[in-house]
Amino acid sequence: MCPHALIPYKPVNPKTRLSNVLDPEEREAFARAMLDDVIAVVKDASCTPVVVGSELYDSDDVQITVKDADLNQALNEILPQAVDKVLIIMADLPLADTPSVRRVLATEKDMAIVPGRGGGTNVIYVREPSRFRVDYYGTSFLKHLKIAREAGLSCEVIDSFRLHTDIDEKEDLVEVLIHGTGKSRAYLDQLGFFLSVDQGRVSVERKR
Amino acid sequence: MCPHALIPYKPVNPKTRLSNVLDPEEREAFARAMLDDVIAVVKDASCTPVVVGSELYDSDDVQITVKDADLNQALNEILPQAVDKVLIIMADLPLADTPSVRRVLATEKDMAIVPGRGGGTNVIYVREPSRFRVDYYGTSFLKHLKIAREAGLSCEVIDSFRLHTDIDEKEDLVEVLIHGTGKSRAYLDQLGFFLSVDQGRVSVERKR
């Protein structure tokens, strides 16, 4: 009853599109804070987190180290071996909360999927992992729907902005400051980020 | 049992941030297509649409014409007079579907709210409209939570990317082409918009 939650994670030089507001050490610390938030939420939703990455990092959580950094290849080697249902959740979802993850796990279909902004895929839940394979990058949401259809798997699309909102760019930090409650939010506060409103548009600025 | 759904709508020179991809006539037609999608969905969710705007437009739907174009003033004149529960839903939510609107209406709290991207407010549902007032623009989501708290109104935040995704800029059109099924999507198809993938990033292009 405790599905494994695979969490792809890149500890070295992550989140390069945040380079305009965070230096390399800060990007690593922020990526780690987001991972910690996701781990806390999946544990609270009764999943067992398994961090999937190209390098080990300092943590007590279960980790799988893969030689090749390619996300698709790594996951598609793991899925056929999985003996029970699997959740795959991205590490850059600091707005994830327990109710949203539980909505995914509660699907009555063969699988559930949460689209990311811009055509991506943020969460996949599949009851029989050996019948599915992943194909991330580009319009992966549409590709995953097609893979499910071709495999004869019924699929529910979960309507959640908390799981839809992946954090890649400066403007995404607005969402963390408005809706975040975990370590990621605390880290941005600590770095001096705050919301700023100019002509009705909201952005973030940083005290230096 | 049929709450009024107030839909603020600007028929003239709407969606100026889409000027880089749509000419003025196309922006008006696209705004109208999005409005039609929202109207269809609120009707399907058993609400009575009431379009609130500064000018009349050609339609059979109930309309309120307000002299002043300021959204806050217009709505705050209507709310105290409302005798029953009210939904306020923006006209630029072409991903809205009946289940997401029904989740809003099903709240057990005094009111429900759906945040928009960037701190905005896309949907408000309030059982006793005379106890609430709106304050759009800027971080209106946070302002609305505060107004509710100060009025002693319990408030549920509805977690929906379909109602979270307002369409303002070119990159938002990706979402319409991926998740849209109504008139807005059909209009973009008709204009020749299509998804394009470059180095894993998804955007829209237009056949000319």
Side-chain angles (χ1 to χ4, degrees), chain A residues 6 9 14 57 96 101 121 129 139 157 178:
Chain A
L6 305 179
Y9 178 59
Y57 76 106
V101 173
T121 305
T139 54
V157 178
I178 288 181

Side-chain angles (χ1 to χ4, degrees), chain A residues 24-44:
Chain A
E25 291 71 29
E26 291 167 343
R27 283 190 280 115
E28 288 191 10
F30 183 56
R32 174 61 189 263
M34 293 199 289
L35 172 68
D36 286 347
D37 284 342
V38 170
I39 287 175
V41 160
V42 298
K43 280 182 175 170
D44 197 47

Side-chain angles (χ1 to χ4, degrees), chain A residues 17 97 99-100 103 114-120 137-142 157-166 169 171-172 174-175 177-179 195 197 200-202, chain B residues 17 97 99-100 103 114-120 137-142 157-166 169 171-172 174-175 177-179 195 197 200-202:
Chain A
R17 284 152 66 193
D97 64 2
S100 56
R103 280 170 59 208
V114 187
R117 187 167 163 84
Y137 309 115
T139 54
S140 68
F141 172 67
L142 298 175
V157 178
I158 304 296
D159 179 13
S160 164
F161 85 83
R162 290 192 159 275
L163 297 175
H164 178 72
T165 305
D166 40 329
E169 299 180 349
E171 67 179 11
D172 301 328
V174 170
E175 309 304 326
L177 291 185
I178 288 181
H179 302 288
L195 293 170
V197 183
R201 305 282 293 278
V202 182
Chain B
R17 283 152 66 193
D97 63 2
S100 55
R103 280 169 59 206
V114 187
R117 186 168 165 84
Y137 308 116
T139 53
S140 68
F141 172 68
L142 297 176
V157 178
I158 304 294
D159 179 14
S160 163
F161 85 84
R162 291 192 158 274
L163 297 175
H164 177 74
T165 306
D166 39 330
E169 299 180 348
E171 66 179 12
D172 300 329
V174 170
E175 309 303 326
L177 291 184
I178 288 181
H179 302 287
L195 293 170
V197 183
R201 303 282 292 277
V202 181

Side-chain angles (χ1 to χ4, degrees), chain A:
Chain A
M1 285 305 293
C2 292
H4 283 129
L6 305 179
I7 310 173
Y9 178 59
K10 183 188 173 194
V12 177
N13 196 27
K15 295 289 150 197
T16 50
R17 284 152 66 193
L18 286 171
S19 299
N20 55 339
V21 285
L22 297 176
D23 70 29
E25 291 71 29
E26 291 167 343
R27 283 190 280 115
E28 288 191 10
F30 183 56
R32 174 61 189 263
M34 293 199 289
L35 172 68
D36 286 347
D37 284 342
V38 170
I39 287 175
V41 160
V42 298
K43 280 182 175 170
D44 197 47
S46 303
C47 294
T48 305
V50 179
V51 179
V52 180
S54 54
E55 354 221 338
L56 283 179
Y57 76 106
D58 179 34
S59 163
D60 293 334
D61 294 303
V62 178
Q63 298 180 43
I64 295 178
T65 310
V66 288
K67 282 182 192 155
D68 192 296
D70 179 78
L71 178 61
N72 291 322
Q73 189 182 333
L75 290 172
N76 286 332
E77 284 174 8
I78 296 170
L79 290 180
Q81 305 168 34
V83 292
D84 201 358
K85 40 195 185 278
V86 161
L87 184 77
I88 306 170
I89 182 166
M90 295 296 127
D92 60 352
L93 303 175
L95 306 192
D97 64 2
T98 309
S100 56
V101 173
R102 287 205 174 124
R103 280 170 59 208
V104 175
L105 301 174
T107 188
E108 295 180 351
K109 301 289 177 74
D110 297 325
M111 57 178 293
I113 186 166
V114 187
R117 187 167 163 84
T121 305
N122 286 352
V123 186
I124 293 172
Y125 176 59
V126 55
R127 293 184 187 285
E128 296 178 70
S130 63
R131 294 177 63 190
F132 191 73
R133 64 182 173 82
V134 297
D135 190 355
Y136 285 95
Y137 309 115
T139 54
S140 68
F141 172 67
L142 298 175
K143 291 189 285 183
H144 287 137
L145 290 183
K146 184 163 180 274
I147 292 168
R149 203 164 48 238
E150 289 173 352
L153 297 168
S154 61
C155 182
E156 180 176 0
V157 178
I158 304 296
D159 179 13
S160 164
F161 85 83
R162 290 192 159 275
L163 297 175
H164 178 72
T165 305
D166 40 329
I167 305 301
D168 290 313
E169 299 180 349
K170 180 187 175 190
E171 67 179 11
D172 301 328
L173 301 183
V174 170
E175 309 304 326
V176 183
L177 291 185
I178 288 181
H179 302 288
T181 55
K183 287 188 181 182
S184 320
R185 161 65 184 272
Y187 184 63
L188 292 181
D189 286 341
Q190 178 194 323
L191 289 180
F193 282 95
F194 61 97
L195 293 170
S196 99
V197 183
D198 183 27
Q199 297 188 325
R201 305 282 293 278
V202 182
S203 63
V204 296
E205 289 187 46
R206 184 173 178 179
K207 293 190 202 91
R208 292 283 185 180

Side-chain angles (χ1 to χ4, degrees), chain B residues 78-92:
Chain B
I78 295 170
L79 290 181
Q81 305 168 36
V83 291
D84 201 0
K85 40 195 186 274
V86 160
L87 184 78
I88 306 171
I89 180 166
M90 295 296 127
D92 60 351

Side-chain angles (χ1 to χ4, degrees), chain B residues 101-117:
Chain B
V101 173
R102 288 204 172 124
R103 280 169 59 206
V104 175
L105 301 173
T107 188
E108 294 180 352
K109 300 289 177 74
D110 296 325
M111 58 179 293
I113 188 167
V114 187
R117 186 168 165 84

